[in-house]
Amino acid sequence: MDTGTDSTEPVDSAPVSGGLLLEVGEAQPCAAPVPATWEKTTTLQGNGNAGPDGGAVAVEDLDGDGDLDIISSWDVGDWLVVWWNDGGTYTYELIADTEAWQLSRVDGGWVSGGQSPVIYDESLTPIGQLPPVYGAVREVVDVQGVGRLVTITSPFGPEHQWDYVVDGAELDQELASQNAFDALVFDHDQDGDEDVYVVNDNPFDGRNVMWHQQDGVLVPTDYAPIRMAGMGGDVGDLNGDGLPDLYLTAAARNILLLQNPDHTFIDVTFGWNAGVLASGKAMAWGGVFWDADNDGDLDLMVAEGDFGGEYNLDLGPQPLSLQRNSDETFSPEVWDEGSFRGLVPVDLNDDGVLDIVVSSASDGPAIWLSQGCGDHGWLRFDGPEGATIRVLGESPQTHWISRDSGFGASKPARSHVGLGDATEVLIRVEYQGLWAEQALSPNRVVKVSVDPEH
């Protein structure tokens, strides 16, 4: 995809601002353009300890040294660990040997999952707890204008499953009792307020629920009432119309939903070949949009795996697969086999191509590093979560800065934008009614912030 102009001598323009500042970094051209491939360079292990197998995975610069560290927890055992990154060398540290089913990135820190969720600060120092729950906390998200939403699943039956908001309005209890696994925070109806789509593992007597924000309250709607054994999901603009689309992972099949202008969704799963699990079997966990080759078209990364532990279905090795987007059709490329969980696409080696960190139910997290930076351009935007990045012109794109990365996974507050062969693009950034526009040449990091004088 050519997403910009044909100028051969691009000159970055001065920004036009409505309250946002864009700090544009120096160009980082690819030294030796070759088609990008990925190699599993590292499988992280503990020091003489089996460590956390499976569950959540997060990538964040916890110590502020410029290197992205890796955090993981186990959804069956009782582990929360960090692998501290120092120039590509990872050192293991056990943070907690208590229940940590999953790990959610929230404002000011983190919250672990389980029956007694622990609140941590930015550096993973424990600072408090959420109230104990009857079941297990799966994910915690902060919704601007509402409060902190806690999604809960329970092994004790649907009468004990619910979601609730801490310091906010109570939710409709019948629709909230759906065995929640994941919560996607985005502005579905484009009214400027954050909404929440809750992915539920309840295929028989429940459904996924889109909660719209109205006057500081989350109200259930009938948008995308999918009935599925849902594990997770991701948000991206797949067709360039500026509206958030959804990719949902589940047992049986995954689901791809494109949003219509009236904010309803159409199921295009089969037309785009997005639903068939690469293994031909029945369980997908992590599933995320990412632009693998920086061509401007969103691809998919999908992590399949068995349950593990006493709930193992003996499905055998399941695939980790890149699903390339070519002419609105996804074609799977299997990278590995195992029992995978969470996925984080993130540029670990600063070559302008996204790498993959994936957790597993049978081993420590694995790092797949790009080998070759390709000949397509890119831009990376670091900034406040919820900011919208728009590539304007004949081949528009829309991206959102988010820490969410599908089932049990989180990433830094940044957005990676592939630019194809474009030598210059016009960018518009929007955040809470503020905006900035600037023409940019590719291969740069752009830091987005609010103008303190606005």
Side-chain angles (χ1 to χ4, degrees):
M1 175 186 287
D2 185 345
T3 59
T5 69
D6 294 326
S7 170
T8 57
E9 296 182 358
V11 178
D12 298 337
S13 70
V16 179
S17 176
L20 291 182
L21 299 177
L22 304 181
E23 180 184 340
V24 182
E26 296 293 327
Q28 304 174 33
C30 178
V34 295
T37 59
W38 290 262
E39 178 181 337
K40 185 164 65 171
T41 59
T42 307
T43 299
L44 299 171
Q45 302 290 344
N47 295 330
N49 190 310
D53 297 337
V57 62
V59 178
E60 191 80 31
D61 183 3
L62 293 173
D63 52 8
D65 65 352
D67 294 322
L68 292 173
D69 309 301
I70 296 176
I71 310 102
S72 186
S73 67
W74 193 15
D75 62 353
V76 177
D78 296 333
W79 304 96
L80 176 62
V81 304
V82 173
W83 284 273
W84 300 99
N85 180 7
D86 183 8
T89 300
Y90 293 87
T91 303
Y92 168 96
E93 180 183 357
L94 177 65
I95 299 297
D97 59 359
T98 57
E99 155 184 79
W101 284 40
Q102 292 194 202
L103 186 68
S104 299
R105 189 68 166 92
V106 297
D107 295 341
W110 309 79
V111 180
S112 66
Q115 291 183 315
S116 301
V118 178
I119 304 172
Y120 299 87
D121 66 11
E122 297 275 359
S123 62
L124 280 179
T125 300
I127 57 174
Q129 281 190 305
L130 290 181
V133 301
Y134 190 59
V137 167
R138 275 293 178 183
E139 185 169 18
V140 181
V141 293
D142 289 317
V143 185
Q144 293 179 7
V146 176
R148 181 159 292 174
L149 177 69
V150 180
T151 66
I152 298 172
T153 185
S154 169
F156 306 112
E159 67 272 15
H160 300 300
Q161 299 159 357
W162 72 97
D163 306 333
Y164 65 91
V165 176
V166 177
D167 298 327
E170 290 187 1
L171 303 180
D172 179 293
Q173 287 301 294
E174 181 178 356
L175 285 175
S177 301
Q178 300 290 323
N179 203 15
F181 258 63
D182 200 9
L184 310 179
V185 179
F186 65 104
D187 185 3
H188 164 238
D189 53 3
Q190 301 291 282
D191 65 350
D193 295 325
E194 289 187 336
D195 308 307
V196 184
Y197 187 71
V198 177
V199 180
N200 293 305
D201 179 15
N202 198 353
F204 303 111
D205 56 1
R207 63 177 176 88
N208 294 351
V209 182
M210 180 78 76
W211 301 87
H212 274 184
Q213 184 177 162
Q214 296 181 11
D215 299 323
V217 177
L218 291 177
V219 178
T221 73
D222 291 326
Y223 293 102
I226 304 296
R227 180 170 290 182
M228 63 191 299
M231 299 292 108
D234 199 18
V235 178
D237 178 17
L238 191 59
N239 56 358
D241 63 359
L243 298 174
D245 306 310
L246 299 177
Y247 183 65
L248 308 176
T249 58
R253 74 177 182 101
N254 299 335
I255 296 176
L256 178 64
L257 301 174
L258 293 189
Q259 188 175 165
N260 296 313
D262 64 358
H263 306 304
T264 60
F265 289 89
I266 181 172
D267 187 337
V268 297
T269 306
F270 291 107
W272 287 66
N273 193 40
V276 178
L277 301 184
S279 68
K281 296 182 181 178
M283 183 64 65
W285 301 81
V288 293
F289 291 111
W290 69 312
D291 191 346
D293 50 10
N294 286 333
D295 66 351
D297 294 322
L298 288 180
D299 308 296
L300 291 170
M301 198 75 193
V302 180
E304 300 179 41
D306 212 333
F307 276 100
E310 62 182 301
Y311 302 107
N312 201 306
L313 299 179
D314 295 323
L315 297 178
Q318 304 287 285
L320 170 70
S321 61
L322 161 62
Q323 303 197 17
R324 289 188 186 272
N325 179 1
S326 177
D327 297 325
E328 299 186 357
T329 300
F330 290 106
S331 301
E333 302 174 10
V334 175
W335 284 12
D336 201 1
E337 289 189 335
S339 190
F340 303 104
R341 292 295 187 265
L343 288 167
V344 181
V346 64
D347 187 1
L348 291 170
N349 54 1
D350 294 324
D351 65 352
V353 178
L354 291 173
D355 310 299
I356 291 291
V357 180
V358 56
S359 64
S360 168
S362 57
D363 213 336
I367 298 173
W368 288 77
L369 276 184
S370 60
Q371 312 293 311
C373 43
D375 56 2
H376 289 152
W378 55 273
L379 290 168
R380 192 187 92 195
F381 294 86
D382 297 357
E385 192 168 13
T388 300
I389 313 298
R390 301 190 191 275
V391 180
L392 306 179
E394 294 182 358
S395 300
Q397 299 183 55
T398 303
H399 301 260
W400 295 272
I401 294 179
S402 173
R403 286 192 168 102
D404 187 62
S405 190
F407 169 85
S410 67
K411 61 183 184 292
R414 59 176 60 167
S415 180
H416 184 98
V417 180
L419 299 179
D421 298 325
T423 56
E424 187 176 82
V425 291
L426 179 60
I427 297 293
R428 179 181 176 90
V429 183
E430 302 165 355
Y431 177 67
Q432 294 187 350
L434 308 177
W435 60 274
E437 286 187 4
Q438 187 169 1
L440 297 172
S441 55
N443 304 338
R444 302 172 185 271
V445 176
V446 181
K447 295 183 179 179
V448 181
S449 62
V450 175
D451 186 346
E453 298 182 0
H454 181 77

